[in-house]
Amino acid sequence: MIYLLGGSGYVGTAYQALLQRLGLAFRNIRRADFDYTDRAALTELLRREKPAFLINAAGYTGKPNVDACELHKADCLMGNAVLPGTIAAACADAGVPWGHVSSGCIFTGSRPDGQGFTETDTPNFTFRTNNCSFYSGTKALGEEVLAGHPNVYVWRLRIPFNEVDNPRNYLTKLIRYNTLLEAANSISQLDEFVAATFACWEKRVPFGTYNVTNPGHVTTHEVVALIKQTGVSNKDFRFFADEDEFMRNAAKTPRSNCVMNSAKLAAVGITMTEVHEAVERDLRRWQKG
Ligand SMILES: NC(=O)c1ccc[n+]([C@@H]2O[C@H](COP(=O)([O-])OP(=O)(O)OC[C@H]3O[C@@H](n4cnc5c(N)ncnc54)[C@H](OP(=O)(O)O)[C@@H]3O)[C@@H](O)[C@H]2O)c1
């Protein structure tokens, strides 16, 4: 039996679809039914039920985007920094191995050598570096809380997308936003992300942190070119002149734009589609909402 926390969310729904496709028994636990933020209650449940594995897809993201986290700081701290520690303690107590959905948004830019950040690089978009959004700060705290814990995977997701039109999908956002910010990013195809992360457990690869992004990186202009090429939209896409204009007109808090290196995941035999190829494939099979 697999336990899934936050299974009703955007990422959690993809986990549910994967587990159903694999024909595996799982239980989606919603806070409305069972308060998994209560450490004693969660410990008791895990001790009693002894699930083989637990996936934490719960967290606070802010709707419609991370700007909302600046207004809901307590929820954001609870969901992203405190909750991982609660789950870690309960899982350790009950002897349940687990995986945590983290984020690549704790980095900005690329390494000084121009390469993507690896799992051994220190996050540079955090409260410690004092340059981040509240959301990114709490996600980095969540990773700090889990540092050194055995029996846990920390999976870094970055800007999810797939072929299904959805306000949470990166491709939908680019299609719908009035004006875009040019940036280079490593991004994660959502269904490949959940499959790759679950494969970590199935293949029993070593616990620890993994960047789970499609190999390579894309620029906003490259994705827009693919949106036009595939005929998904032919609108006249407009761009901000620079990040200053974006911050003045469209955002309350800085965004993380960053390049990640996913070689560690590939080295354990779990591969994802090259990023341009994945974006083009999903645009060619685009399902309009
Ligand atoms: N979407 C992205 O762009 C993105 C990118 C990188 C990383 N992530 C990470 O992926 C995880 C899931 O994100 P998502 O996009 O699926 O979010 P979502 O759609 O908002 O779903 C998150 C789920 O978390 C649960 N939850 C637990 N504590 C919460 C709290 N304090 N506030 C709000 N919800 C809480 C809720 O489930 P119940 O109430 O049903 O239990 C909710 O359905 C988060 O940790 C997020 O940081 C997301």
Side-chain angles (χ1 to χ4, degrees):
M1 172 66 77
I2 312 286
Y3 271 27
L4 177 60
L5 308 185
S8 310
Y10 182 56
V11 176
T13 303
Y15 274 113
Q16 288 206 55
L18 173 80
L19 295 170
Q20 271 158 11
R21 204 173 64 240
L22 295 175
L24 295 173
F26 72 96
R27 181 173 165 199
N28 173 31
I29 304 181
R30 301 165 59 239
R31 280 175 305 167
D33 305 325
F34 176 87
D35 184 10
Y36 53 76
T37 67
D38 177 336
R39 178 172 157 180
L42 182 61
T43 304
E44 203 270 321
L45 176 78
L46 296 180
R47 282 182 149 212
R48 197 178 62 235
E49 305 288 331
K50 274 271 179 201
F53 190 65
L54 179 146
I55 298 168
N56 175 35
Y60 186 86
T61 51
K63 308 248 168 37
N65 57 44
V66 294
D67 282 336
C69 295
E70 305 296 315
L71 300 172
H72 303 281
K73 290 183 169 146
D75 287 338
C76 194
L77 268 171
M78 282 302 291
N80 298 334
V82 177
L83 181 61
T86 302
I87 300 168
C91 283
D93 202 322
V96 174
W98 66 293
H100 170 68
V101 178
S102 185
S103 177
C105 74
I106 57 180
F107 290 95
T108 181
S110 55
R111 286 162 55 129
D113 61 4
Q115 300 295 306
F117 293 104
T118 70
E119 291 79 354
T120 56
D121 289 316
T122 304
N124 66 349
F125 197 65
T126 72
F127 291 134
R128 292 191 186 279
T129 46
N130 197 21
N131 55 347
C132 66
S133 64
F134 199 80
Y135 172 73
S136 289
T138 62
K139 292 304 286 186
L141 283 179
E143 287 209 4
E144 280 198 36
V145 165
L146 298 182
H149 272 265
N151 304 330
V152 58
Y153 295 108
V154 174
W155 298 311
R156 290 179 179 152
L157 170 68
R158 252 318 269 161
I159 317 185
F161 70 95
N162 66 9
E163 75 281 14
V164 184
D165 196 6
N166 183 302
R168 310 293 305 283
N169 181 337
Y170 175 57
L171 299 176
T172 297
K173 290 184 182 191
L174 291 193
I175 292 163
R176 292 194 194 162
Y177 283 170
N178 286 332
T179 315
L180 305 179
L181 176 67
E182 171 62 0
N185 275 301
S186 294
I187 59 180
S188 306
Q189 206 280 354
L190 182 58
D191 307 287
E192 291 192 31
F193 172 87
V194 294
T197 55
F198 193 65
C200 287
W201 165 243
E202 283 180 306
K203 291 162 71 90
R204 302 296 193 273
V205 307
F207 289 109
T209 303
Y210 291 86
N211 295 339
V212 188
T213 52
N214 291 74
H217 62 272
V218 284
T219 65
T220 320
H221 272 100
E222 285 173 346
V223 179
V224 163
L226 286 169
I227 290 171
K228 287 183 167 176
Q229 237 174 64
T230 53
V232 171
S233 172
N234 285 314
K235 83 173 191 191
D236 186 20
F237 289 89
R238 284 182 303 169
F239 281 80
F240 292 106
D242 52 30
E243 198 155 347
D244 286 347
E245 195 196 348
F246 168 70
M247 285 305 298
R248 270 198 314 276
N249 295 305
K252 290 190 170 48
T253 188
R255 300 300 194 265
S256 142
N257 291 294
C258 68
V259 178
M260 313 282 290
N261 179 324
S262 58
K264 181 179 174 186
L265 187 73
V268 294
I270 300 173
T271 53
M272 294 170 73
T273 311
E274 192 279 329
V275 66
H276 298 85
E277 207 182 303
V279 169
E280 182 170 350
R281 177 199 62 205
D282 287 0
L283 287 168
R284 291 206 182 280
R285 59 184 188 180
W286 189 245
Q287 295 170 23
K288 213 166 164 12

